[in-house]
């Protein structure tokens, strides 16, 4: 596949349905994790124009910033802190309609208004990374995002 995306003009679900097979092809056969994470972040940003999209890798007792698209971000996050740290601690998807209402939210940018964080799991359920997506708008994420982004994370 060429390194160009075919992006749907339709709704959110249609965009995901068109994007996911392209991402699968893009990373299929590439064994470099950083390259794959970078391309996934770029594809999501280009398709949906999210405010911030990227990954944090579990390193010891912290999440450490990995490939992302958007403004500069927090470099390290402790387990259980903020939305990313809570998603890691609980090993579950967190959808936050209003980050200002989330106890302990870490504001890497005051422009972020809503967020979804998905843990990436090894076969035995151990979290090895999280996918973090932020929006400048309230209530940007829902079960459609959770379902398709979870599928995308399974490719990694």
């Amino acid at each position: 596949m060429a390194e160009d995306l075919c992006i749907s003009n339709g709704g959110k679900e249609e965009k995901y349905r068109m994007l996911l097979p392209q991402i699968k092809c893009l990373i299929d056969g590439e064994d470099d994790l950083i390259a794959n994470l970078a391309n996934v972040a770029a594809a999501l940003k280009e398709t949906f124009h999210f405010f911030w999209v990227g990954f944090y890798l579990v390193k010891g007792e912290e999440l450490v910033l990995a490939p992302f698209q958007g403004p500069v971000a927090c470099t390290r996050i402790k387990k259980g802190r903020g939305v990313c740290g809570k998603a890691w601690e609980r090993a579950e998807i967190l959808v936050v309609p209003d980050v200002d209402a989330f106890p302990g939210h870490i504001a890497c940018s005051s422009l972020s208004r809503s967020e979804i964080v998905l843990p990436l799991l090894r076969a035995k359920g151990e979290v090895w990374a999280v996918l973090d997506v932020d929006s400048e708008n309230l209530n940007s994420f829902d079960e459609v995002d959770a379902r398709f982004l979870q599928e995308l994370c399974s490719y990694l």
Side-chain angles (χ1 to χ4, degrees):
M1 175 179 133
E3 281 71 22
D4 291 321
L5 293 176
C6 182
I7 299 172
S8 168
N9 290 325
K12 181 192 305 191
E13 189 164 343
E14 186 178 325
K15 286 182 179 185
Y16 278 118
R17 288 189 189 283
M18 186 172 266
L19 178 64
L20 265 58
Q22 294 179 82
I23 287 178
K24 198 168 192 174
C25 286
L26 186 64
I27 66 176
D28 190 41
E30 177 54 64
D31 62 0
D32 189 278
L33 175 64
I34 299 304
N36 287 335
L37 297 179
N39 268 333
V40 168
L44 287 168
K45 176 83 168 160
E46 185 174 345
T47 300
F48 294 99
H49 306 288
F50 293 130
F51 176 68
W52 195 94
V53 57
F55 295 90
Y56 283 90
L57 299 177
V58 174
K59 296 196 177 191
E61 291 302 310
E62 294 179 308
L63 292 170
V64 179
L65 185 64
F68 72 93
Q69 296 279 313
V72 295
C74 303
T75 304
R76 295 178 181 272
I77 299 172
K78 298 274 187 207
K79 192 171 197 173
R81 295 216 41 234
V83 182
C84 290
K86 281 290 183 198
W88 172 27
E89 180 179 66
R90 297 177 184 171
E92 65 185 37
I93 298 169
L94 293 181
V95 177
V96 180
D98 179 355
V99 296
D100 291 333
F102 188 88
H105 175 254
I106 300 169
C108 293
S109 170
S110 61
L111 298 177
S112 177
R113 304 297 310 277
S114 61
E115 185 170 4
I116 184 170
V117 179
L118 297 94
L120 283 76
L121 306 172
R122 296 192 199 288
K124 294 183 179 182
E126 176 190 5
V127 178
W128 62 271
V130 298
L131 168 60
D132 180 17
V133 185
D134 292 20
S135 172
E136 292 174 290
N137 302 307
L138 293 170
N139 300 305
S140 289
F141 306 104
D142 57 24
E143 66 282 344
V144 171
D145 298 287
R147 184 176 76 239
F148 284 102
L149 291 173
Q150 185 173 35
E151 181 180 338
L152 183 153
C153 289
S154 74
Y155 303 163
L156 298 166

